[in-house]
Amino acid sequence: MKVLVATEKPFAAAAVKGIREIVEQAGLEFALLEKYSSPSELIAAVADATALIVRSDKVTAEVIAAAPSLKIVVRAGAGYDNLDLEACSKAGVVAMNTPGQNSNAVAELAIAMMIYMSRGQFTPATGSEIQGKTLGIQAFGNVGRLVGSKAAALGMKVRALDPFMTAEQIQAAGAESVEDIKELYSGSDFVSIHIPATPQTIGSIGRELICSMPKGAVLVNTARKEVIDEQGLMEALELRPDLKYVCDVAPDNYALLKEKFGLRVFATPKKMGAQTAEANINAGLAAARQIVSYLKDGCTRFQLNK
Ligand code: 3PG
């Protein structure tokens, strides 16, 4: 039985080595497809795979159809908007993610981005400090909570909104709970976004919310570019010359934003939130262990398409 690791954006070498060891120790075959440039390479590689480990690689209905032996696909990471869960279910393929395994790396990047923007992208212009400022965290899951604890340690006032948590749970996890999204945006010098990309959230952050932020505010997006209404963002930045936007993965209109707003916007050239050796090892090895547990013992913990 073959376990294929297919990562357009490769894992650190130590993570690949660790995955291979877990797979081979379980008596399974290990295969690797890295840095591929077209979906057709993935489609060809899955032909005889029993299990598949991916990152943000798109596992479409076409990929599933090309993998008749596939029993399980694990997204080594948190967000699973790249998996066609319906196609997986129809084909009897178990889909999983590895929640929490790469959260610290993303949280550290969110903090770094706040400082980077507050210090004028490390230009000599006079900047500002994050200590004493209010941070609003949109979704208080694994990443959001880590951002909150790090921000609190840096002297920020931390508030959070999460539709799946009560006010008491948010407080117990270390943040002040806010009533609604309007309050989150209008009362936060920084908002850090940690919502998944779903039909409900895509395009949900636009002009009105962004314009409601206080003077000099920074919007930090290490989640998914799709949750931003890009036209609305552009209009907000035009209307409010004091606002800034920083994100991990450029919006489609990034060239234009950069041209218009210069140092007020910044996007990483390639999604790098989880791109640390530690995160790769944590998520990659967890994915391999989950596959072995499923194939050997039928363990369906972390299954997404139940
Ligand atoms: C995630 O959802 O886990 C992060 O966005 C990381 O994605 P990546 O594996 O593509 O770096």
Side-chain angles (χ1 to χ4, degrees):
M1 286 195 282
K2 186 186 272 188
V3 178
L4 173 69
V5 175
T7 49
E8 182 272 321
K9 181 173 62 185
F11 284 125
V16 176
K17 186 169 172 279
I19 295 170
R20 178 191 281 272
E21 279 166 12
I22 291 168
V23 166
E24 290 180 348
Q25 273 163 22
L28 304 166
E29 191 188 335
F30 173 85
L32 182 63
L33 173 70
E34 282 184 334
K35 293 187 193 170
Y36 58 91
S37 49
S38 115
S40 60
E41 288 179 65
L42 175 59
I43 285 168
V46 294
D48 57 351
T50 302
L52 177 62
I53 296 176
V54 293
R55 296 185 64 178
S56 290
D57 309 77
K58 287 196 169 36
V59 180
T60 59
E62 206 184 343
V63 172
I64 298 295
S69 315
L70 196 63
K71 289 191 164 53
I72 174 167
V73 52
V74 182
R75 191 280 191 246
Y80 51 89
D81 44 313
N82 55 320
L83 307 183
D84 186 332
L85 291 185
E86 209 180 302
C88 287
S89 297
K90 273 190 192 148
V93 173
V94 165
M96 296 185 184
N97 64 349
T98 65
Q101 298 291 348
N102 58 19
S103 304
N104 189 65
V106 181
E108 286 190 9
L109 182 70
I111 297 285
M113 284 179 149
M114 289 196 273
I115 297 174
Y116 187 57
M117 295 308 278
S118 299
R119 302 303 283 265
Q121 298 190 27
F122 297 165
T123 56
T126 302
S128 56
E129 299 176 21
I130 63 170
Q131 175 172 268
K133 305 292 189 307
T134 299
L135 167 65
I137 301 180
Q138 189 177 356
F140 212 37
N142 290 315
V143 182
R145 286 197 291 266
L146 283 167
V147 172
S149 59
K150 291 174 200 305
L154 290 165
M156 298 186 87
K157 181 178 171 205
V158 180
R159 317 153 83 224
L161 177 73
D162 191 306
F164 302 104
M165 290 172 82
T166 62
E168 291 71 30
Q169 286 169 330
I170 288 177
Q171 279 153 20
E176 184 190 311
S177 169
V178 297
E179 278 289 303
D180 57 28
I181 191 138
K182 284 188 184 154
E183 193 190 331
L184 187 80
Y185 274 72
S186 64
S188 302
D189 301 304
F190 295 82
V191 169
S192 192
I193 303 169
H194 301 290
I195 52 175
T198 66
Q200 291 74 38
T201 64
I202 287 172
S204 62
I205 300 160
R207 189 173 86 169
E208 201 182 325
L209 273 182
I210 300 170
C211 278
S212 75
M213 294 179 82
K215 190 166 170 39
V218 182
L219 181 59
V220 183
N221 181 10
T222 53
R224 292 289 183 270
K225 68 173 181 173
E226 290 83 1
V227 301
I228 302 288
D229 162 9
E230 294 188 3
Q231 180 59 30
L233 170 68
M234 165 101 71
E235 289 169 17
L237 292 171
E238 246 155 16
L239 285 164
R240 289 278 308 278
D242 56 304
L243 298 180
K244 294 177 182 160
Y245 179 64
V246 57
C247 56
D248 188 21
V249 175
D252 292 337
N253 61 355
Y254 185 49
L256 188 57
L257 289 181
K258 205 67 205 147
E259 189 188 308
K260 279 174 170 265
F261 308 116
L263 291 177
R264 291 172 54 212
V265 293
F266 175 79
T268 52
K270 190 159 191 161
K271 187 147 73 89
M272 56 167 284
Q275 195 60 343
T276 64
E278 293 89 339
N280 286 179
I281 291 167
N282 291 342
L285 271 57
R289 288 192 189 106
Q290 287 172 215
I291 285 171
V292 171
S293 297
Y294 176 68
L295 294 177
K296 301 276 171 192
D297 307 318
C299 176
T300 54
R301 195 173 170 214
F302 303 118
Q303 183 173 353
L304 300 163
N305 57 341
K306 273 184 180 158

